Amino acid sequence: MDDIVKQALAKWPNVPHCYGWLGLDARGQWYMRDDATQAAGPFPQSKGSLLRHDKLIDFIQRNYEPDATGQWFFQNGPQRVYVELEAAPLVWRVMDDFSLHTHTGQPGELTRVLMDGEGRLYIATPSGLGIVHTQDMGLAADALERGIWPAPEEMTAAELPERFGFVRSPAATHASATR
């Protein structure tokens, strides 16, 4: 976490959390979701505006992590901005040597490979579950065919959040808890 974020947390410890305003798609792209976007439907059906500002994206990615309940958030100064997830909290990029890096640039160590009913490939690591980026499926297929990675376990996409301890829609969870 950035030092400036830690300082803001110390200075303003009781800022309310933010839900529904930020989304992460299955390709590791961030979306800002204003009131109109949120009113139009849940993420990813109603995505919002694609973030393109590199420094903002880097700041979000440096301060992106899960809470104790598996809800992923971006720590924006003293405020937690909970992230709506299209597929999983991480998007894995496969390097030419079959090593892994998240969409945030962090390396990962493969522990399990999973495939859902739609043929999407997921990687479980100690840092969390992520979907393999669509542009890297050729490299992933090579790693599987060569036996570098273990054969994928089959699992439905609906099973993944509970099995791997993450929440796809913190906004929906928050809304149901406040009713």
Side-chain angles (χ1 to χ4, degrees):
M1 191 178 298
D2 288 2
D3 285 338
I4 194 168
V5 172
K6 292 176 187 174
Q7 292 167 5
L9 279 167
K11 189 172 183 177
W12 299 291
N14 298 316
V15 174
H17 301 322
C18 180
Y19 294 90
W21 285 83
L22 188 63
L24 177 69
D25 76 4
R27 298 190 73 179
Q29 299 176 109
W30 298 97
Y31 289 85
M32 187 64 64
R33 305 182 72 245
D34 62 15
D35 283 330
T37 301
Q38 291 180 54
F43 190 79
Q45 289 80 19
S46 180
K47 283 190 173 182
S49 301
L50 177 64
L51 294 182
R52 298 183 188 275
H53 191 278
D54 290 338
K55 288 185 180 186
L56 174 59
I57 293 167
D58 290 344
F59 182 66
I60 290 170
Q61 293 183 164
R62 285 193 313 272
N63 296 288
Y64 177 62
E65 60 188 47
D67 69 10
T69 66
Q71 297 179 98
W72 285 71
F73 65 92
F74 149 55
Q75 189 70 48
N76 183 27
Q79 184 176 55
R80 282 188 179 181
V81 178
Y82 282 94
V83 178
E84 300 294 292
L85 305 171
E86 180 174 356
L90 301 172
V91 177
W92 291 108
R93 299 305 312 253
V94 183
M95 305 298 112
D96 289 338
D97 64 356
F98 306 114
S99 64
L100 300 166
H101 284 86
T102 65
H103 66 284
T104 65
Q106 300 301 309
E109 185 178 328
L110 183 146
T111 57
R112 293 170 72 182
V113 179
L114 303 111
M115 184 177 291
D116 70 15
E118 294 179 27
R120 293 178 294 197
L121 198 63
Y122 299 83
I123 302 291
T125 72
S127 55
L129 181 79
I131 190 166
V132 173
H133 194 287
T134 55
Q135 290 181 328
D136 298 339
M137 288 300 292
L139 285 166
D142 287 348
L144 291 166
E145 287 174 3
R146 293 181 190 183
I148 296 167
W149 292 358
E153 304 167 41
E154 291 190 24
M155 192 173 295
T156 67
E159 292 176 276
L160 295 171
E162 185 175 337
R163 295 280 298 272
F164 291 92
F166 69 93
V167 176
R168 277 206 181 102
S169 179
T173 300
H174 177 71
S176 66
T178 56
R179 287 184 197 157

